[in-house]
Amino acid sequence: MKIRFNMRTIFRWLHIIVAIPIYGYLYSPFDKLPLYAPPTRFIFFPLMVLTGLLMWKGHLLRRPFSRKPQHA
């Protein structure tokens, strides 16, 4: 069985996994928020935004590095 992963699939799963702690932060009890705030603000949220942008506009970043010559 051959499993093929493309970059979009990897970014999609990373995006989903990184979003889980953000949901925990949003729905945690108010007294637990100081424990979740720094990792959520500085690690999980930026990673989620980055993977979302790469899924959305990643083809524009990969185009200059493509091996195929572009035809005019």
Side-chain angles (χ1 to χ4, degrees):
M1 184 167 102
K2 186 177 179 182
I3 299 175
R4 217 178 121 198
F5 290 106
N6 60 7
M7 292 302 287
R8 185 172 171 85
T9 304
I10 293 169
F11 288 143
R12 182 183 306 136
W13 279 106
L14 185 62
H15 187 79
I16 291 169
I17 290 169
V18 169
I20 292 170
I22 295 172
Y23 288 125
Y25 174 76
L26 292 174
Y27 293 110
S28 65
F30 188 72
D31 58 340
K32 304 280 186 190
L33 285 181
L35 298 173
Y36 292 123
T40 302
R41 286 183 192 149
F42 301 118
I43 297 170
F44 299 121
F45 186 72
L47 275 174
M48 190 181 74
V49 169
L50 180 66
T51 56
L53 285 172
L54 286 172
M55 285 190 296
W56 179 44
K57 292 291 184 178
H59 65 284
L60 295 176
L61 287 173
R62 287 188 295 273
R63 188 179 299 165
F65 302 107
S66 176
R67 294 181 189 174
K68 299 178 192 174
Q70 293 183 359
H71 298 288

